[in-house]
Amino acid sequence: DGGITQSPKYLFRKEGQNVTLSCEQNLNHDAMYWYRQDPGQGLRLIYYSQIVNDFQKGDIAEGYSVSREKKESFPLTVTSAQKNPTAFYLCASSIGQASLTYEQYFGPGTRLTVT
Amino acid sequence: AQTVTQSQPEMSVQEAETVTLSCTYDTSESDYYLFWYKQPPSRQMILVIRQEAYKQQNATENRFSVNFQKAAKSFSLKISDSQLGDAAMYFCAYRTLGADGLTFGKGTHLIIQP
């Protein structure tokens, strides 16, 4: 079955440590996205990538970094510079960004807790 | 900047009844898409329905339909014959061509009373 996988489902880290969240898709989609969800909030865009080896900052990129070395993979690193990293992180993908009709498909998410 | 507003943090409806969730948005664009996503307790985001701004006809998907009022910038979701499985957070989202990603509202928590 085609889809998006995120691992792990729950992640715990100590303050000051960098942590990398995994996102893999086998939908052959060009575009991939990372969103953050906080309680009582909608999703907010962290980073997005339209093609391999290219990515752009979203609305709340500070304290985060990404890479896109393969079409299928778009890992997100939460660095120690992120002041409030505890949140639910969702990865998404779409066929491409050029058309409005391309819906975004979401992974199951990773709950990150930093203490 | 585009904004999406969902004015109902929580709604409750009896099973088999109809409920309408509200969404308004602010944009100066003429070409865009609107979406309703469902997030059940599993937290998996599921696309419920989408509407193209240039289409006057309201989108429908089985028990789900929208009332799209472009001039009023309103995009409400109607759920008919509510079922227990409809209980979830519902997010309204907006996207314009060339945008980085989706702009989401803060969501409405829908409770289905048996």
Side-chain angles (χ1 to χ4, degrees), chain B residues 18 26 33 69 81 85:
Chain B
T18 295
D26 184 24
Y33 255 78
Q69 302 290 327
D81 185 25

Side-chain angles (χ1 to χ4, degrees), chain A residues 35 37 48 97-98 101 106, chain B residues 39 44 50 95 97 99-100:
Chain A
Y35 292 91
Q37 185 178 21
Y48 66 99
Q97 203 162 315
T101 63
F106 285 83
Chain B
Q39 188 180 43
Q44 175 75 54
R50 60 183 167 189
R95 184 178 179 196
L97 192 64
D100 305 336

